Amino acid sequence: MPTIIRLADMPDETSFAPLGVLGYCLTRTQFLAPVWADLKLRLKTVDYTPQTKLLELLVCILTGCRAIAQVNTRLRPDIALARAWGQGQFAEQSTLTRTLDAFTDTAVTQLRHGVDAWFRQESQALRHDFAADWLWLDIDLSPLPISKHAEGSTKGKQAKKNRYGRQLARVHAPQYHETLFSRLYAGRQESSPAYIPTVDALNAFLNLTLAQKQRTVLRSDAGFGSDANVNYALHAEWQVLTKTKGGKRPQIFANQVAAEDWEPLRYDRWVAQAVKPPTYERPTDCLVLRWLTPRGEIKHAIVVCSIPGWTMADIIAHYDDRGACETEIQADKGGLKMERRRKKRLAAQEALILLTDVAHNLLAWIPQWMFPGEPLAAFGTTRLVEDVLHLPGRLIFHGERLAEVQLNQLHPYAEQVAAGLQRLLDHFGSP
């Protein structure tokens, strides 16, 4: 008997059942409404409002689409997922692309204000217990590759030689895995000039009290560590932990340290107090760090810390924790495909970055909503996108109400995710 191949309607089946339940909770409770409340785009509304199309772009990011074109093959056939997110069917990819292309600098500012308002409403970093612990904020500048014909694209300053791209300034709160701020720059943007505008934006956004700022540590790498930048942050009453700018100064400072004053951190790494440290706005510890590279070369750096009472080993260990920031960025580039979705216009790309920040922060909160104290709570961005939200099943509606969720019981995480989805619905009041 020949194999029969036919087309069939599958209105209840989806490849992203948990993501559908998340969308059902978010849309029915208007959880994301502040993000685009003030956004005004010059677009004619036929079947989809600009806000609806931005919501669909967010779903595109959360499903790990490597390009907006994948909306047509991954999302549009998924009627159950669309219905869970409050749509009859997801818009066609060209419609979403035109929405991004309609962004101007003014519209980006409006979207940024919306994202900030939403973040203030939900952020855990803004509810940090300053009396119990320091709040750590990592500042970073990361390359984003793009065609040489794109707006703001220049050669150099990229991860690979002879690549064209832009630069993305970001601020992370590593204790909560949250992204607090993102801004896109042209490709030749240096770290140091981006520091003060980033700190100013952070100050306006967080609106911390003086006592809270004095319990907040701005941590950054040597690219941001000019004396002027350190003084600016110290004058504004932030705490600072940073490497200072390179050049000849690290070697000069290292030459002033006596051989017996180097304190070993491990077999290939040493630290010492600077003999003649620079003077800053407030008292600081200035350390000289020395290490042996895999090629047998001796390297040096200067680390400045404004927090009194820490040992030299403590200061270096806290600086090394900055590696979590790099991990967060790589997770967004890998799991959320941040550097794969590229727009020629700078404003369109920045709108995509802001939506990626929304996706990132949702994924930072999902483990607490769904898996408090469970093993799945340790999953990062990539595993949440690929192994938790991407789980096949059925979403069964009665009218507009999600009546039943069925998960493929053969999936290794089906049981844990099922329990997590019940917690998610309870968290949002079973909308």
Side-chain angles (χ1 to χ4, degrees), residues 102-121:
F103 267 87
T104 61
D105 290 343
T106 299
V108 168
T109 299
Q110 293 168 348
L111 181 59
R112 184 182 299 281
H113 287 165
V115 172
D116 288 352
W118 170 75
F119 185 82
R120 287 192 195 96
Q121 181 177 298

Side-chain angles (χ1 to χ4, degrees), residues 48-225:
Y48 304 90
T49 66
Q51 290 77 10
T52 297
K53 287 179 279 190
L54 291 177
L55 183 70
E56 294 178 8
L57 283 164
L58 177 62
V59 180
C60 168
I61 294 168
L62 287 169
T63 53
C65 290
R66 65 181 182 273
I68 298 174
Q70 278 197 297
V71 166
N72 283 6
T73 56
R74 182 171 290 193
L75 298 187
R76 271 180 68 77
D78 200 326
I79 300 302
L81 183 63
R83 193 171 182 184
W85 282 82
Q87 311 299 318
Q89 185 180 20
F90 288 118
E92 203 267 344
Q93 64 92 9
S94 62
T95 302
L96 303 183
T97 298
R98 284 194 296 272
T99 301
L100 287 172
D101 289 338
F103 267 87
T104 61
D105 290 343
T106 299
V108 168
T109 299
Q110 293 168 348
L111 181 59
R112 184 182 299 281
H113 287 165
V115 172
D116 288 352
W118 170 75
F119 185 82
R120 287 192 195 96
Q121 181 177 298
E122 304 298 334
S123 168
Q124 297 173 53
L126 293 180
R127 291 161 178 77
H128 179 75
D129 186 352
F130 289 91
D133 195 9
W134 302 95
L135 175 62
W136 292 88
L137 301 179
D138 289 331
I139 302 175
D140 189 76
L141 195 70
S142 176
L144 287 181
I146 190 71
S147 162
K148 66 179 180 180
H149 303 294
E151 184 181 1
S153 176
T154 58
K155 195 174 182 180
K157 302 293 180 185
Q158 297 297 307
K160 294 183 180 179
K161 191 176 180 180
N162 296 324
R163 291 286 295 273
Y164 285 81
R166 300 163 173 146
Q167 297 288 334
L168 177 64
R170 300 188 98 185
V171 180
H172 297 270
Q175 291 140 299
Y176 303 100
H177 306 289
E178 293 177 347
T179 297
L180 276 64
F181 173 83
S182 292
R183 177 160 291 161
L184 201 60
Y185 288 96
R188 291 199 181 279
Q189 177 67 41
E190 297 282 350
S191 297
S192 188
Y195 185 82
I196 290 177
T198 300
V199 171
D200 285 346
L202 197 61
N203 186 49
F205 167 53
L206 294 177
N207 195 28
L208 300 178
T209 66
L210 179 60
Q212 289 172 332
K213 287 175 68 175
Q214 291 172 341
R215 293 285 293 172
T216 302
V217 187
L218 303 183
R219 183 166 51 190
S220 55
D221 64 17
F224 295 100

Side-chain angles (χ1 to χ4, degrees), residues 243-254:
K243 283 183 179 178
T244 66
K245 297 281 281 185
K248 297 180 179 180
R249 182 191 268 184
Q251 184 64 58
I252 293 172
F253 276 39

